[in-house]
Amino acid sequence: MKNHLPTIKEIAKELNISISTVSRALHDHPSIGLRTKTRVQELAKKLEYEPNQTAIFFQQGKTFTIGVILPELSEAFFSSAISGIEDAAHKSNYTVLMGQSHDSVEKEKQLIDTMKKHRVDGLLISISKNTVNYEHFEALQRYKIPIVFFDRIPKIPNIHYVACNMVNGTVQAINFLFTKGHRIIGMINGPEKLPASKDRLDGYIQAMTKSRLKYDPAMVLNCNLSRESVSAATEKLLTGKRKPTAIVTFNDYVALDAVQQAQKMKLKINKDICFVSYANLPLSNYTAYPPMASVEQFPYLQGQKATETLIELLQQKSSEETDNVNATYYKIILESQLVVHNGK
Amino acid sequence: MKNHLPTIKEIAKELNISISTVSRALHDHPSIGLRTKTRVQELAKKLEYEPNQTAIFFQQGKTFTIGVILPELSEAFFSSAISGIEDAAHKSNYTVLMGQSHDSVEKEKQLIDTMKKHRVDGLLISISKNTVNYEHFEALQRYKIPIVFFDRIPKIPNIHYVACNMVNGTVQAINFLFTKGHRIIGMINGPEKLPASKDRLDGYIQAMTKSRLKYDPAMVLNCNLSRESVSAATEKLLTGKRKPTAIVTFNDYVALDAVQQAQKMKLKINKDICFVSYANLPLSNYTAYPPMASVEQFPYLQGQKATETLIELLQQKSSEETDNVNATYYKIILESQLVVHNGK
DNA sequence: ATAATTAATGCAAACGTTTGACCAGTGTCC
DNA sequence: GGACACTGGTCAAACGTTTGCATTAATTAT
């Protein structure tokens, strides 16, 4: 009548066999006779026995848990990514311990600490926008907790990561605009120091020069993503000497703000001026003038791949106990893909 | 040169004292002399000792982890809620194990199982849209894992929950429309069987009858949230005999679709027809015609409150070991609040 | 001085599981 | 009839920490 959960010890006593026999029986160990095996398994089922995971975690020195640290769940990109992570993790019987840094370095450090304390087997990290110092990641090396970075990658050597090729995505986007006849193409990019901005710019330049159009720096403006700065940039582009007929925007929010500004200026969207963006949001469906096309970054897939990579690392770690510095670092680059929004 | 992490055992050996002394010293136990206490603490720091949480979890039979099961992180409501949960949990040194049901009952069951296996101390659940059968929750009672439900609450007695008063929110919304002079007010509600829809309808009826306007069932249409059904409902309302001058929509997505339909019908938004909605989304800022006002449901706060409640339950559980059926169930209802969107 | 009290520390069990090493039978082979 | 190999099982250590209960040493009260 005791209300605590049953243990193998109890099963053992009940059946008058040893604890180890019970353990092995439950694991289908070959050296246990069929008879006892079934006896054990039946009693276990009857008692609704469930192994005490905390004991197992402890005993094995593993938690079958992977930590995930990302900036902001309310960004659609990351909420998709975490779905990919979750699904991949569950498939391999791992669980997910999650934390948001809210783009604060302090919070990021704190989270790493918590994760370390909880002895997660490995970590998946997309770094905060403001992280410039990477010691707190390096500290984890000592603890032998492998990390796979995704999407937002720190600039340090010898790391594993999964990311999406935004340079190429941008090239695709611009080539698409070429096929639609556009020749003067502007860009409203993000904050200048952001790696994401750099990729887009690189793509822009690459696409333009490859088509023997010269790269006009005046056609690329940075903004800080605020509504005002987007409006300002849009206005500046659309009233400049060379007027673009199409604009590539840093992300969908920027696109929406830019569209509004263009409308204010009495321009006809998709006629006088076209927009192409990067697909962070499902929101485009809900607005009157979504961008003509978007560069899909496959957040779900990125999360999934990152997780699979991490789990692979964990498995090879546990097999070859030789902590050799065999130093192969996974660098997985997914190709982005331009999605043309159908009609309307 | 062994690369494994230091343990209290090692500290003990190094200092020639017993393990228990070390343990107590690290916990500032009063019966340990100041001298040894500092000696221990210094060595611990030097060795960068960190207690092995898995061992502690095991030993204490607690994991200081709370499980969270919710339908869909990509819904802004839930991503805010989880932020509230995280913050509240971390404040009390709990961590969060998260899983999405994606509104699948099967997945929900599976998650509960995982959480149970991982021996979470307690659970926070927002049930899937399709859950009609509640045995999998009741099963947890046996395991003494307390649950606090939030936002989406199952219809069973004797549970703890935190929710937002949508009836009242709807009343406020409609009263607001009254003050703006509207008398004929329509509603595009969600699926009929959803509790959320029922609350809104109740509020609608309550507000109308209280103002001695009669409740006209023809003014309230259900939709299945798809774009088409929203458009259809909007059209029906706006071409009916009594034409509403304002419409309350089930959520922001519905509002946006309805706005588009109204525009298609050459109506001037905020002039010929006004919209009021429920604030699930920050998206309203990014669209040309956001609803005039929204009922704020305070997802962050709901998450926070739910977490605090759960932690309180956990603490009182561990103190009074008497597993009395003292049966006080927390039912926390937050008041929703109408937010009027400024201008434009 | 000696008993009583207090302060500081040590001992050992307990938490539930896994796992390498060992052992008792039983049968087989030559 | 002894060496050999199975088969089916048991024993006990180990994982790192906490904690009730002893134990010792030092101090005080009588």
Side-chain angles (χ1 to χ4, degrees):
Chain A
M1 210 84 306
K2 23 171 65 172
N3 60 22
H4 78 131
L5 303 171
T7 67
I8 48 172
K9 212 183 248 178
E10 278 154 17
I11 298 186
K13 186 156 357 146
E14 181 90 11
L15 259 41
N16 258 315
I17 55 182
S18 82
I19 294 177
S20 38
T21 304
V22 176
S23 174
R24 291 199 235 262
L26 291 171
H27 286 81
D28 247 347
H29 192 282
S31 82
I32 302 295
L34 188 61
R35 251 199 79 100
T36 34
K37 218 180 256 183
T38 54
R39 285 210 314 150
V40 168
Q41 286 168 353
E42 262 158 27
L43 183 55
K45 180 167 287 174
K46 179 175 151 230
L47 260 43
E48 293 186 318
Y49 165 78
E50 300 229 24
N52 182 335
Q53 290 292 341
T54 65
I56 297 175
F57 292 164
F58 169 51
Q59 207 273 145
Q60 310 257 292
K62 294 175 112 206
T63 57
F64 292 95
T65 302
I66 68 187
V68 178
I69 298 177
L70 42 72
E72 199 55 60
L73 268 181
S74 59
E75 279 183 38
F77 179 90
F78 291 113
S79 66
S80 290
I82 196 111
S83 292
I85 291 171
E86 259 202 289
D87 291 352
H90 289 167
K91 195 172 293 167
S92 303
N93 280 312
Y94 278 78
T95 45
V96 171
L97 208 57
M98 200 238 5
Q100 304 180 62
S101 69
H102 295 295
D103 276 321
S104 138
V105 184
E106 208 37 61
K107 196 80 202 297
E108 194 171 81
K109 281 188 190 160
Q110 225 175 286
L111 281 170
I112 288 192
D113 218 58
T114 314
M115 301 279 179
K116 197 176 61 190
K117 274 210 196 116
H118 266 248
R119 295 286 208 272
V120 296
D121 290 346
L123 273 171
L124 254 26
I125 303 183
S126 198
I127 66 172
S128 117
K129 213 183 286 185
N130 304 304
T131 302
V132 288
N133 186 313
Y134 306 121
E135 313 167 330
H136 49 305
F137 301 131
E138 280 156 356
L140 285 177
Q141 316 276 58
R142 289 203 337 92
Y143 288 82
K144 312 239 169 188
I145 300 179
I147 312 182
V148 174
F149 293 94
F150 68 99
D151 190 55
R152 303 229 211 130
I153 319 289
K155 292 203 192 313
I156 40 177
N158 300 339
I159 56 170
H160 307 279
Y161 67 82
V162 174
C164 197
N165 188 343
M166 281 297 98
V167 179
N168 203 277
T170 306
V171 170
Q172 283 179 58
I174 292 179
N175 284 342
F176 165 75
L177 289 173
F178 287 156
T179 69
K180 293 288 177 182
H182 298 276
R183 285 300 173 271
I184 308 185
I185 298 172
M187 170 173 260
I188 300 180
N189 209 349
E192 197 167 359
K193 69 268 183 194
L194 225 64
S197 297
K198 183 166 185 326
D199 286 354
R200 285 159 171 77
L201 179 60
D202 286 354
Y204 180 90
I205 298 177
Q206 201 173 303
M208 295 307 267
T209 54
K210 209 168 206 164
S211 307
R212 315 197 173 258
L213 295 167
K214 77 171 201 299
Y215 159 52
D216 177 357
M219 285 287 111
V220 178
L221 299 180
N222 288 103
C223 76
N224 65 10
L225 306 181
S226 77
R227 190 159 214 164
E228 295 71 34
S229 76
V230 173
S231 296
T234 312
E235 187 167 7
K236 192 163 172 198
L237 272 180
L238 292 177
T239 56
K241 246 188 238 156
R242 300 177 64 216
K243 283 191 193 49
T245 59
I247 295 179
V248 180
T249 55
F250 183 76
N251 68 27
D252 284 340
Y253 287 120
V254 172
L256 294 181
D257 287 340
V259 162
Q260 275 188 247
Q261 176 62 28
Q263 283 181 309
K264 234 181 237 160
M265 297 168 71
K266 306 290 179 210
L267 294 174
K268 290 241 183 298
I269 309 299
N270 291 340
K271 198 144 177 290
D272 304 331
I273 181 75
C274 291
F275 289 90
V276 169
S277 180
Y278 298 80
N280 294 311
L281 307 168
L283 162 163
S284 331
N285 299 322
Y286 287 91
T287 103
Y289 295 108
M292 286 181 68
S294 288
V295 179
E296 170 63 53
Q297 301 178 67
F298 303 108
Y300 182 94
L301 203 63
Q302 271 194 55
Q304 201 179 34
K305 275 265 177 274
T307 310
E308 286 167 5
T309 308
L310 180 59
I311 291 176
E312 202 180 316
L313 281 168
L314 292 174
Q315 265 150 16
Q316 74 188 42
K317 181 178 144 204
S318 62
S319 60
E320 34 144 311
E321 260 322 332
T322 57
D323 54 334
N324 56 346
V325 199
N326 86 341
T328 44
Y329 290 95
Y330 290 88
K331 301 189 185 317
I332 299 180
I333 313 263
L334 301 178
E335 279 314 314
S336 55
Q337 189 179 318
L338 191 75
V339 176
V340 178
H341 296 169
N342 38 5
K344 270 231 322 179
Chain B
M1 213 79 308
K2 22 173 65 169
N3 59 24
H4 79 131
L5 302 172
T7 69
I8 48 172
K9 211 185 246 176
E10 276 153 18
I11 298 186
K13 183 150 8 137
E14 181 91 9
L15 260 37
N16 258 310
I17 55 182
S18 81
I19 293 178
S20 39
T21 304
V22 176
S23 173
R24 291 196 239 261
L26 290 171
H27 286 81
D28 248 345
H29 192 283
S31 81
I32 301 295
L34 188 61
R35 252 199 76 98
T36 33
K37 216 179 257 184
T38 53
R39 285 210 314 150
V40 168
Q41 286 169 352
E42 262 158 29
L43 183 57
K45 180 167 289 175
K46 181 176 151 227
L47 260 45
E48 293 185 320
Y49 166 77
E50 301 228 25
N52 183 334
Q53 291 290 342
T54 63
I56 296 175
F57 292 164
F58 169 50
Q59 207 273 146
Q60 313 255 295
K62 294 173 113 209
T63 57
F64 291 96
T65 303
I66 68 189
V68 178
I69 299 177
L70 42 72
E72 199 56 60
L73 268 181
S74 60
E75 279 184 36
F77 179 89
F78 291 113
S79 67
S80 289
I82 194 114
S83 291
I85 292 171
E86 258 202 290
D87 291 350
H90 288 167
K91 195 171 294 170
S92 303
N93 281 312
Y94 278 78
T95 46
V96 171
L97 208 59
M98 199 240 4
Q100 304 179 63
S101 68
H102 296 295
D103 276 320
S104 140
V105 184
E106 208 35 62
K107 196 79 202 295
E108 195 171 79
K109 281 188 191 158
Q110 225 175 286
L111 281 171
I112 287 191
D113 217 58
T114 313
M115 301 280 178
K116 196 176 62 190
K117 272 209 196 120
H118 267 248
R119 293 287 207 272
V120 296
D121 290 344
L123 273 173
L124 253 27
I125 304 183
S126 199
I127 66 172
S128 117
K129 212 181 291 186
N130 305 306
T131 302
V132 287
N133 186 311
Y134 306 121
E135 316 167 328
H136 47 308
F137 301 131
E138 282 156 355
L140 285 177
Q141 316 277 58
R142 288 203 339 90
Y143 286 83
K144 311 240 170 187
I145 300 179
I147 312 182
V148 174
F149 293 94
F150 69 100
D151 192 56
R152 304 230 209 128
I153 320 289
K155 293 202 194 312
I156 40 178
N158 300 340
I159 57 170
H160 307 280
Y161 66 81
V162 174
C164 198
N165 187 342
M166 281 296 98
V167 177
N168 203 277
T170 306
V171 170
Q172 284 179 56
I174 292 180
N175 285 342
F176 165 76
L177 289 173
F178 286 156
T179 70
K180 293 288 177 184
H182 298 277
R183 286 299 173 270
I184 308 185
I185 298 172
M187 172 175 257
I188 302 180
N189 210 349
E192 198 165 0
K193 68 267 182 196
L194 226 62
S197 298
K198 181 164 186 329
D199 287 352
R200 285 160 171 75
L201 178 59
D202 286 353
Y204 180 89
I205 298 179
Q206 202 172 299
M208 296 307 266
T209 54
K210 209 170 208 163
S211 308
R212 314 192 173 263
L213 295 167
K214 76 170 205 299
Y215 159 52
D216 178 357
M219 285 285 111
V220 178
L221 299 181
N222 289 102
C223 76
N224 66 8
L225 306 181
S226 78
R227 189 158 213 163
E228 295 69 34
S229 75
V230 173
S231 295
T234 312
E235 188 168 7
K236 191 164 174 199
L237 272 182
L238 292 176
T239 55
K241 248 189 236 156
R242 299 178 65 219
K243 282 188 193 54
T245 60
I247 294 180
V248 179
T249 54
F250 182 76
N251 68 27
D252 285 340
Y253 286 121
V254 172
L256 294 181
D257 287 339
V259 163
Q260 274 186 247
Q261 176 61 30
Q263 283 182 310
K264 232 181 240 159
M265 297 167 71
K266 305 289 176 211
L267 293 175
K268 289 241 181 297
I269 309 300
N270 291 338
K271 199 143 175 293
D272 304 331
I273 180 78
C274 291
F275 289 90
V276 169
S277 179
Y278 298 80
N280 294 312
L281 307 167
L283 164 163
S284 332
N285 298 321
Y286 287 93
T287 104
Y289 296 108
M292 284 180 72
S294 287
V295 179
E296 171 63 54
Q297 302 177 68
F298 302 107
Y300 183 94
L301 202 62
Q302 272 194 55
Q304 202 179 32
K305 276 267 178 272
T307 309
E308 287 167 3
T309 310
L310 180 59
I311 291 177
E312 203 180 315
L313 281 167
L314 293 175
Q315 267 150 16
Q316 73 189 43
K317 180 178 146 207
S318 61
S319 60
E320 34 141 311
E321 261 322 331
T322 59
D323 55 334
N324 55 346
V325 197
N326 85 342
T328 43
Y329 290 96
Y330 290 88
K331 300 186 185 320
I332 299 180
I333 313 262
L334 301 177
E335 278 314 314
S336 55
Q337 188 179 318
L338 191 74
V339 176
V340 178
H341 296 165
N342 39 7
K344 271 221 334 166

